[in-house]
Amino acid sequence: MTKKWDMVLILGLLLAVVVSVAAGFDGECDPVRQNVLRLHILANSDSEQDQALKLQVRDAVLRETAGSFEAAESLDTAEQTAAALLPRIEETARQTLAAQGCDDAVRVSLVNMYFETREYDGHTLPAGYYDAVRIELGAAAGHNWWCVLFPQLCIGTAADSEELEAIDGLARQPEYRLSFALVEWLERLLAAAKEQ
């Protein structure tokens, strides 16, 4: 019985160390999350047609908002710009769908939502809650597409690596993968606790 309790104690201490390290690393990721505005588009479904429509909406919205976030100097400024653009973004998405003979509903909002760790142009955005312009097409039950509106990095070929590196704490090294996995695990636990 004593050996069993010793094992439980050791496992408990090990878990406490892992959670402590993950929480510390999660805190280091906060400046990234607090300085990024993302664009998130959810397709109606995973059908080939709905996925193609999602990409057409993406292209139209990016053309319509091109340059809109260039003057933004902070996340607050970018969010004010995004809030003012929401009706224009929604109308652009509607017109794009209508031009293809689709009458799916379009919902556009400024939200704070959870994203898993994502690779973007050789850089890593850590898991966590980010502010985002969210575009939901139809039932919004299909695969999504995302990018970074602020700093303006949605067009990969236009992304300046200096801009990416300017985001405080944005990781470029592959050795961060394990730490991000721990952050994702911790974030999922926290998200599940919030939902209960």
Side-chain angles (χ1 to χ4, degrees):
M1 188 71 156
T2 308
K3 287 184 180 184
K4 191 175 191 179
W5 282 109
D6 287 346
M7 183 60 86
V8 168
L9 181 62
I10 290 170
L11 288 175
L13 288 172
L14 182 59
L15 181 61
V17 168
V18 168
V19 168
S20 175
V21 168
F25 184 75
D26 185 55
E28 290 177 21
C29 295
D30 279 344
V32 175
R33 296 182 196 117
Q34 294 168 5
N35 289 296
V36 171
L37 177 65
R38 295 170 86 154
L39 174 64
H40 186 243
I41 305 174
L42 278 165
N44 177 56
S45 74
D46 283 336
S47 74
E48 195 173 308
Q49 179 182 1
D50 284 341
Q51 288 297 311
L53 284 171
K54 173 191 72 180
L55 297 178
Q56 290 175 11
V57 167
R58 172 202 66 189
D59 294 344
V61 166
L62 290 178
R63 274 192 305 273
E64 186 65 27
T65 60
S68 297
F69 295 93
E70 286 177 0
E73 295 179 7
S74 68
L75 181 59
D76 288 339
T77 309
E79 287 178 344
Q80 290 169 9
T81 300
L85 288 171
L86 291 181
R88 198 163 110 196
I89 292 170
E90 186 172 328
E91 185 57 28
T92 299
R94 278 188 211 293
Q95 288 177 359
T96 302
L97 293 180
Q100 299 302 315
C102 177
D103 63 354
D104 283 348
V106 175
R107 291 167 305 285
V108 179
S109 55
L110 192 55
V111 299
N112 183 268
M113 61 178 284
Y114 181 79
F115 286 88
E116 293 190 0
T117 299
R118 300 284 187 195
E119 298 291 327
Y120 190 79
D121 262 0
H123 292 75
T124 304
L125 287 169
Y129 285 88
Y130 288 83
D131 291 336
V133 172
R134 184 178 172 105
I135 302 173
E136 296 174 284
L137 306 175
H143 279 94
N144 66 68
W145 182 89
W146 69 272
C147 71
V148 178
L149 286 173
F150 175 81
Q152 197 165 13
L153 304 172
C154 277
I155 302 168
T157 57
D160 182 349
S161 62
E162 288 179 19
E163 286 182 66
L164 284 166
E165 289 166 9
I167 302 173
D168 201 15
L170 189 61
R172 191 165 179 68
Q173 298 84 357
E175 62 264 19
Y176 282 105
R177 175 50 64 197
L178 176 60
S179 296
F180 285 137
L182 290 173
V183 170
E184 285 181 15
W185 174 75
L186 182 61
E187 287 282 345
R188 278 193 215 105
L189 282 178
L190 294 172
K194 282 182 185 178
E195 291 174 6
Q196 291 179 354

